[in-house]
Amino acid sequence: MESLIKRFKKAILNFRHGRVLFITSSVFALVYHLAFLITFKLLGVTQMYYFNFISVAVYIFISLRSFKMKNVIPYYFLCFAEVVVHQILADYYLGGDAEFHYFILLVGLLPALSFGKRIKLASVLVTVSVILFLVIEANAAFIFPIYFIEFKKIVVIRIVNIGCVAFVISASLLMYAYIVLHVEDNLEEQVKQKTKKIVKLQDHTIDSLANLVENRDIDTGDHIKRTSAYVNLLALKAYENMVYPKVIDWKFVELITRVAPLHDIGKIVVPDSILKKPGKLTDEEYNTMKMHTTEGVRIIKEIFSMTEDNEYVKMAMDVAGYHHEFWDGRGYPNGLKGDQIPVSARIMAIADVFDALVSVRCYKKAIPVEDAFKILKEEERIHFDPILTEIFLQNKDAVIKILNKEMSL
């Protein structure tokens, strides 16, 4: 969780929240002018009273028009022009020490945070504002009021001025607090919801692809369901035992469980005459069958080319492309060995072979579960990662439970 200060900085520097400054300044302008409308009326400063009366009317009209048009630029120019005129009149009637000069600088900085991609326009306005502020501020000491106003009245005006400034600062902080603590949190929630929809869409795509495989080979369809369950079990136990901690974390467990159904997606391109052949495959047929690994990578890359979840796509390709690699380097398609094989593919290999051993296939009968476990043990350091194999064998009861559950469905 980011600190409150960092979140405030993000909100203030975020162009999307620039309009909040204008909302704040609009409220401030109205409160400010109304306050001085009453103040000047009570003090008898008629010239400033009428100026504020006109300002209130113009502000209300322009503000409503600007926000109706969803264009804050006209409102900004009104705000800037009014502040400059107000400054000139304040100096003219109240003297150069009226302490309103900094409003020019404040309003001049608004476009820097509010004009979005209009960088050039914002830069020009900021520059003009700063120069104007410096010129007026430098000459403020030499300006004297043309009409005499009692010092007591000047004090009252300054107190009202300070009160209005305090109000706008408080209002601004409250509005930004609302943004930081509510709007930003809602935005994060929207991002989470969008991510969930993307994940749901990806999972639906996986299920659809897996169903394509299942429609061609019923055994393969059941195989997909069981291997996914075995993969989840093995990955979870590896995570709990801190095996390969730099690779296997909670996100890894989630991802490999989701991509596991895609490991045999490349079999879509394998002809039925080979995929469903009851006997032993010839060398040529076997080479064609082996193509399902590289074809699986190609299919996944094409289907998910537009997704931004690179980790998801990478793991899906690793599982599809390397789940037939051997620990000793005699596997296919690339002859990888040991740590060269992605951890996800090593997990998939154990789940894939175990299920193939205990399942009926068109070319073989199922073997007893205990015999399958013995074969996995014998193939440690030959076919399978020895550490992951041991974890799988240590959880025989859970594996058998998955097998019985899926077989009974």
Side-chain angles (χ1 to χ4, degrees), residues 200-210 262 303-304 312:
K200 187 175 181 180
L201 178 61
Q202 288 178 335
D203 290 343
H204 177 72
T205 303
I206 289 175
D207 291 340
S208 299
L209 292 172
L262 289 172
I303 291 176
F304 297 105
Y312 173 89

Side-chain angles (χ1 to χ4, degrees), residues 16 87 95 101-102 142 156 164 175 249 260 288 297 327 368 374 376 387 409:
R16 291 184 300 102
Q87 175 59 58
H101 307 130
Y102 63 89
F142 307 104
V156 172
C164 289
M175 293 186 76
D249 54 17
T288 301
V297 173
W327 185 256
K374 289 180 181 178
L376 291 183
I387 299 176
L409 295 178

Side-chain angles (χ1 to χ4, degrees), residues 21-22 24-25 28 76 79-80 83 100-114 125-126 129-130 133 164-165 168-169 172:
L21 288 172
F22 278 101
T24 305
S25 64
F28 166 68
Y76 169 78
C79 186
F80 184 74
V83 166
F100 296 145
H101 307 130
Y102 63 89
F103 281 126
I104 295 176
L105 184 61
L106 176 64
V107 175
L109 294 176
L110 289 179
L113 298 174
S114 309
L125 293 174
V126 170
S129 302
V130 171
F133 165 77
C164 289
V165 172
V168 74
I169 292 175
S172 299

Side-chain angles (χ1 to χ4, degrees), residues 182-338:
H182 181 70
V183 177
E184 288 293 313
D185 286 342
N186 284 349
L187 183 62
E188 291 178 6
E189 183 61 29
Q190 290 176 17
V191 172
K192 289 180 182 178
Q193 292 299 325
K194 185 176 181 180
T195 302
K196 287 182 180 179
K197 288 182 179 180
I198 294 174
V199 170
K200 187 175 181 180
L201 178 61
Q202 288 178 335
D203 290 343
H204 177 72
T205 303
I206 289 175
D207 291 340
S208 299
L209 292 172
N211 286 333
L212 287 175
V213 178
E214 185 171 2
N215 289 334
R216 296 194 62 214
D217 185 352
I218 296 176
D219 289 339
T220 301
D222 294 332
H223 169 71
I224 289 172
K225 296 174 185 176
R226 291 190 296 270
T227 51
S228 296
Y230 298 143
V231 161
N232 176 262
L233 173 67
L234 180 51
L236 184 59
K237 294 300 179 182
Y239 170 67
E240 291 174 353
N241 286 276
M242 299 184 67
V243 173
Y244 302 123
K246 293 183 178 180
V247 178
I248 302 178
D249 54 17
W250 184 251
K251 186 175 182 180
F252 177 94
V253 176
E254 180 185 358
L255 280 179
I256 194 171
T257 304
R258 288 175 52 210
V259 305
L262 289 172
H263 75 280
D264 274 337
I265 192 63
K267 286 186 177 179
I268 291 176
V269 303
V270 179
D272 285 347
S273 59
I274 297 175
L275 190 63
K276 299 180 180 181
K277 183 176 180 180
K280 184 178 180 181
L281 299 178
T282 64
D283 290 343
E284 184 179 353
E285 291 170 336
Y286 183 56
N287 287 332
T288 301
M289 175 65 81
K290 288 195 294 185
M291 288 175 58
H292 82 274
T293 53
T294 53
E295 285 299 303
V297 173
R298 180 185 63 80
I299 292 169
I300 291 170
K301 186 181 296 185
E302 289 181 0
I303 291 176
F304 297 105
S305 61
M306 299 301 292
T307 183
E308 296 180 358
D309 193 344
N310 295 326
E311 289 183 79
Y312 173 89
V313 177
K314 175 67 166 55
M315 188 177 293
M317 291 192 297
D318 285 346
V319 164
Y322 304 124
H323 68 284
H324 283 293
E325 298 287 0
F326 279 35
W327 185 256
D328 66 1
R330 292 183 298 165
Y332 65 86
N334 297 327
L336 302 180
K337 63 185 299 185

Side-chain angles (χ1 to χ4, degrees), residues 332-362:
Y332 65 86
N334 297 327
L336 302 180
K337 63 185 299 185
D339 292 338
Q340 294 176 337
I341 308 169
V343 175
S344 55
R346 292 182 234 167
I347 291 174
M348 191 72 243
I350 295 171
D352 185 42
V353 172
F354 174 79
D355 192 71
L357 291 172
V358 299
S359 303
V360 176
R361 295 292 171 86
C362 59

Side-chain angles (χ1 to χ4, degrees), residues 155-167:
V155 172
V156 172
I157 291 172
R158 288 179 177 174
I159 291 173
V160 174
N161 182 45
I162 293 172
C164 289
V165 172
F167 171 82

